[in-house]
Amino acid sequence: MSYQPRTTDKYVKIKKTADKAPENEIRIRAIPRIGRYIAYAATLLLEKKMDKIIIKASGNAAKSACQIAEILRHRILGLHQQNHLKTTPVIDEYEPKEEGLETVVVERKLAVLEIHLSLNEDVLDSKAVGYQAPLPKEEVQAEELKTLLEGRQKREGDEDRPRGGRGGYRRGRYTGSRGGRGGRGGPRGGNRGGPRGGNRGGSRGGNRGGNRGGDRGGDRGS
C-alpha cells in the first residue's frame, strides 16, 4: 500500500518575529527554573521603582507565573496583586510546498494569564475581581534587593552543580561520588598484589633460600 501524504505535509508554518514587550512586562516561558524571572521582577519593582509590572503566561507556563508572583509576595512587603484572564487572537499562516496551492490562514484564540503587581495601592483596583491585598507583615520575609538577588543566584548555582551519587571524576569533570567504587580495585588489587606477592616472594623465597641454603651448606661443611 503506497503512502498517501497528508494535507499538513504540503504546508510549512511561517515563522513570525515576536513583538517587543514593554519594559514592565515579563513574558513567562514553560521552563523549570524561575529564578531569573524573580530577580528581574524584583529589580523592576525595587530598583527601577516601576509603578506596576505585568507577568504574562499561557498554557503550561501559567503555573510558573503563579509561583513567581507568590514568591515575590512573600519576599517583598506591601505588594499588591491583581489577576486577569484574557483571550487574545492568534493568527497562524502556512505557505505551500507545492505549486498551485494557496497560503492557508488559521485564526485561533489563546487564553493568557496576566498578573499585575504593584507597591502602590492606588495603581490597582482593590474592588475588582482578582485583586489580592498585600500579605500581613508576619507572613513576609522582607529582603533587600541585593539579598534577594544574591540568594537567587546562589540557589541557581547550586542547581547548576552536578548532583552527587554518580560518576566520580568523568572526563575531567566531577559528577558525584559513585567513583568510590574504585575502592574495590584498590584493596583487592593491593592486598592480592602486596600481601600475597610479598609473602609468597618474601617469606617463601626467603625461607626456601635461607633454610635450604643454610641446611645444605651446613651439612656439606660438616
Side-chain angles (χ1 to χ4, degrees):
M1 183 176 179
S2 60
Y3 171 74
Q4 297 294 332
R6 297 174 297 178
T7 304
T8 54
D9 295 336
K10 301 178 181 181
Y11 292 86
V12 59
K13 187 177 181 180
I14 300 176
K15 295 183 180 180
K16 297 181 179 180
T17 56
D19 57 329
K20 187 177 181 181
E23 188 178 4
N24 69 329
E25 183 178 297
I26 305 175
R27 298 177 181 177
I28 309 301
R29 296 182 180 180
I31 59 177
R33 297 178 183 176
I34 59 177
R36 293 181 181 178
Y37 292 121
I38 295 173
Y40 182 65
T43 302
L44 296 179
L45 289 169
L46 301 178
E47 188 177 76
K48 295 189 176 183
K49 306 295 183 181
M50 289 193 169
D51 290 338
K52 178 179 69 173
I53 65 170
I54 302 174
I55 300 175
K56 298 181 67 174
S58 62
N60 295 332
K63 179 181 177 181
S64 298
C66 295
Q67 291 177 342
I68 294 169
E70 195 65 18
I71 291 174
L72 290 171
R73 279 166 50 84
H74 281 82
R75 292 294 181 270
I76 301 176
L77 184 63
L79 190 60
H80 300 258
Q81 177 177 341
Q82 189 170 355
N83 304 324
H84 300 271
L85 188 59
K86 302 179 178 180
T87 56
T88 180
V90 178
I91 299 177
D92 297 326
E93 295 185 28
Y94 298 85
E95 61 180 5
K97 298 179 181 179
E98 303 176 1
E99 295 183 0
L101 299 177
E102 297 181 355
T103 301
V104 176
V105 179
V106 178
E107 184 175 353
R108 56 189 174 90
K109 292 183 179 180
L110 181 66
V112 179
L113 172 64
E114 289 188 4
I115 301 177
H116 296 210
L117 299 174
S118 177
L119 289 169
N120 191 341
E121 60 181 357
D122 298 329
V123 173
L124 304 181
D125 186 1
S126 59
K127 297 181 180 180
V129 178
Y131 172 80
Q132 293 178 254
L135 294 175
K137 185 177 180 179
E138 58 271 13
E139 296 184 16
V140 178
Q141 299 177 359
E143 297 179 0
E144 296 293 336
L145 175 62
K146 183 178 179 181
T147 306
L148 180 63
L149 298 182
E150 287 178 353
R152 278 294 156 189
Q153 291 174 357
K154 182 179 179 181
R155 290 167 194 165
E156 284 189 356
D158 293 339
E159 292 176 358
D160 291 336
R161 293 178 184 175
R163 298 180 180 179
R166 293 188 178 184
Y169 283 95
R170 186 177 297 174
R171 296 183 180 179
R173 182 183 64 177
Y174 180 75
T175 58
S177 59
R178 187 177 285 185
R181 284 188 176 181
R184 294 182 179 179
R188 290 183 181 179
N191 293 338
R192 290 179 180 178
R196 291 185 181 180
N199 293 338
R200 289 179 180 178
S203 60
R204 291 185 181 181
N207 294 335
R208 289 178 181 178
N211 295 338
R212 290 181 181 180
D215 294 342
R216 288 180 182 180
D219 294 340
R220 288 179 182 178
S222 58

